[in-house]
Amino acid sequence: MNIGFDAKRAYHNDTGLGFFSRVLVELLASYHPEHRYFLFNPKPGSMFRPQASHIQEVQPSAPLHKILRGAWRSKWICKDLKRLQIDLYHGLSQEIPSGIHTTGIPSVVTIHDLFAELYPSDFSFISTKIYRSKMRYACKYANRIMAISEETKRHITNTYHINPSKIDVAYQSCDPIFSNIVSEEKKERIRAKYNLPREFFLHVGTIIERKNLLNICKALQLVQQEIPLPLVVVGKGGAYKKKVKQYLADNRLQDKVIFLTDALAAAGKKPFVETEDFPALYQMATAMIYPSFYEGFGLPIIEAMSGGVPVITSSTSCMPEIGGDAAFYVHPEKPEEMAEGFRKFYGDALYRQQAIAKGFINVQRFAPEVYVQSVINIYQAALNNK
């Protein structure tokens, strides 16, 4: 079978959608080498270099398509899908090409979240309109919808009035490197590379209001006399980050939070953590805290648990669905509950070890082979429903 993918994010995105795209394509190619995988990429990119011979990158070739690459990806790509005899097309990031339903080629669209519907203030007015329009179109015309959590499925059903029987939930898997337990020697190299403290709490995610860093900082203030550990923050930010930094300055907590992206840039280094270094970064942490107000999935939860790192996360949205019985749950608006999580994982060694053990069990639900099979099942349902 020839399977086509919208690969823009795979080649150009260094956050969640990019990781999702790269991991899925490589897992499918590994577990099902009998298929051919065509990655439709509107322009050259360096973030993805798959080595398998049955993975092929496709870029626009016609002169006009090279000039109007966005239009090629959004509509004109349908001609290339037919030319390459694509049997199934998967829109990996919430959209499918306009008119694909008229080609006879069945399609699947992955809907990760409905941020543009639920948090429009996080986007510009134009971006919100575009995202909403593309998601509505994809949900209407795709043969199957792949939701990454039951939470996301509920939002699709309620917001776009889609029959839930058209939506399949496929819990994603994280990159297998997160399951590799890092040696102490390598941890020391990574510690020196990023100038990290001996012990710390960790927060991974874009610094926006929905990710809730300000309340994490308020929790740190509550335990500053009890727990000496700083918080390492990995992620970019804008106006909200300034608000957080002002809070830290007002409360003399600047030395309690390390904005790693800023620190790397100030040192003249690449302002991001390299993918292969993330497992060590997680595994050096006493705990990872992720009290978002809303997520479509919450990938850092399983990235942390896969490497034996306990997790503090929200009792709302999809987080309990993903964290199972292994996480310490807090209300995202209650710093005092986050502070209690800090105390438990810092001061109670037995509790921490029990949480780690539960985490290893919990992540088996997201094992690569389980994930790949669920996606293949969705593809078969789409082929049967064309």
Side-chain angles (χ1 to χ4, degrees):
M1 181 165 61
N2 292 338
I3 306 174
F5 297 91
D6 173 13
K8 176 183 176 182
R9 299 309 197 285
Y11 284 96
H12 302 282
N13 187 297
D14 63 352
T15 56
L17 291 179
F19 285 117
F20 167 83
S21 300
R22 291 186 287 272
V23 169
L24 177 55
V25 170
E26 293 199 315
L27 286 176
L28 283 168
S30 175
Y31 281 87
H32 288 276
E34 71 273 18
H35 302 309
R36 295 184 66 196
Y37 302 92
F38 293 80
L39 308 185
F40 290 86
N41 177 25
K43 61 182 180 180
S46 60
M47 288 187 179
F48 195 30
R49 294 188 177 91
Q51 301 301 311
S53 60
H54 52 297
I55 300 178
Q56 177 181 333
E57 182 183 359
V58 182
Q59 291 188 20
S61 55
L64 182 60
H65 295 180
K66 290 181 178 181
I67 296 172
L68 300 175
R69 295 175 183 269
W72 174 78
R73 173 174 174 260
S74 298
K75 185 172 183 177
W76 297 336
I77 194 175
C78 291
K79 292 183 179 180
D80 290 300
L81 298 180
K82 296 181 73 173
R83 174 177 61 84
L84 293 168
Q85 298 181 322
I86 299 301
D87 297 298
L88 177 84
Y89 182 83
H90 188 167
L92 295 172
S93 53
Q94 322 225 117
E95 58 185 291
I96 56 174
S98 176
I100 191 173
H101 61 287
T102 66
T103 66
I105 299 171
S107 64
V108 172
V109 64
T110 296
I111 300 295
H112 299 265
D113 54 65
L114 270 67
F115 292 162
E117 300 284 0
L118 302 172
Y119 293 90
S121 61
D122 285 351
F123 308 92
S124 69
F125 176 78
I126 295 299
S127 293
T128 299
K129 297 285 285 186
I130 292 172
Y131 293 152
R132 286 175 171 175
S133 175
K134 286 183 175 181
M135 283 194 291
R136 287 180 182 274
Y137 182 89
C139 288
K140 181 177 180 180
Y141 288 109
N143 294 79
R144 301 298 299 178
I145 299 169
M146 173 178 156
I148 62 172
S149 66
E150 292 289 347
E151 173 85 354
T152 297
K153 179 176 179 176
R154 282 192 294 271
H155 283 298
I156 297 169
T157 301
N158 295 336
T159 304
Y160 296 143
H161 308 294
I162 301 295
N163 190 325
S165 66
K166 184 181 179 178
I167 308 170
D168 303 292
V169 173
Y171 290 134
Q172 66 187 92
S173 186
C174 64
D175 193 310
I177 64 172
F178 287 96
S179 298
N180 298 331
I181 302 303
V182 179
S183 68
E184 291 302 319
E185 180 183 1
K186 183 173 182 180
K187 286 180 182 178
E188 288 306 314
R189 291 201 303 271
I190 301 302
R191 195 187 309 279
K193 179 177 179 179
Y194 294 101
N195 193 28
L196 294 167
R198 179 63 49 184
E199 296 180 281
F200 56 87
F201 294 114
L202 178 67
H203 174 68
V204 177
T206 308
I207 306 173
I208 55 177
E209 190 166 0
R210 178 174 52 80
K211 299 287 188 179
N212 206 18
L213 179 57
L214 182 57
N215 277 332
I216 300 175
C217 294
K218 291 179 179 179
L220 283 175
Q221 185 184 25
L222 294 175
V223 298
Q224 63 176 320
Q225 302 302 321
E226 310 164 50
I227 302 176
L229 274 58
L231 174 74
V232 173
V233 176
V234 180
K236 302 175 183 177
Y240 180 72
K241 183 174 77 170
K242 293 179 181 178
K243 181 179 179 180
V244 172
K245 286 192 169 184
Q246 186 61 56
Y247 173 85
L248 295 173
D250 292 345
N251 291 275
R252 299 180 181 180
L253 293 170
Q254 297 99 317
D255 62 340
K256 298 289 288 185
V257 179
I258 300 168
F259 290 90
L260 189 56
T261 303
D262 292 356
L264 292 172
K269 299 179 180 180
K270 295 178 181 178
F272 55 85
V273 176
E274 296 181 36
T275 300
E276 59 269 24
D277 295 338
F278 260 108
L281 178 65
Y282 272 109
Q283 291 173 35
M284 286 187 283
T286 298
M288 195 275 291
I289 182 163
Y290 195 71
S292 295
F293 285 100
Y294 171 71
E295 293 293 334
F297 183 76
L299 186 60
I301 295 172
I302 62 169
E303 289 176 340
M305 289 183 180
S306 294
V309 181
V311 172
I312 303 166
T313 191
S314 299
S315 58
T316 58
S317 186
C318 70
M319 270 63 83
E321 185 182 344
I322 306 307
D325 68 349
F328 185 96
Y329 292 106
V330 300
H331 193 287
E333 293 181 346
K334 295 184 177 181
E336 62 272 19
E337 294 185 6
M338 299 177 207
E340 186 58 26
F342 286 146
R343 293 186 185 102
K344 293 292 286 186
F345 287 132
Y346 177 73
D348 190 334
L350 177 60
Y351 182 85
R352 185 173 185 273
Q353 288 304 313
Q354 289 173 336
I356 290 171
K358 289 180 180 179
F360 282 133
I361 296 171
N362 181 60
V363 295
Q364 294 308 306
R365 298 188 292 133
F366 313 99
E369 62 273 19
V370 176
Y371 177 40
V372 169
Q373 188 57 54
S374 66
V375 175
I376 290 294
N377 291 344
I378 294 171
Y379 289 173
Q380 192 59 55
L383 290 167
N384 294 337
N385 192 38
K386 66 179 181 178

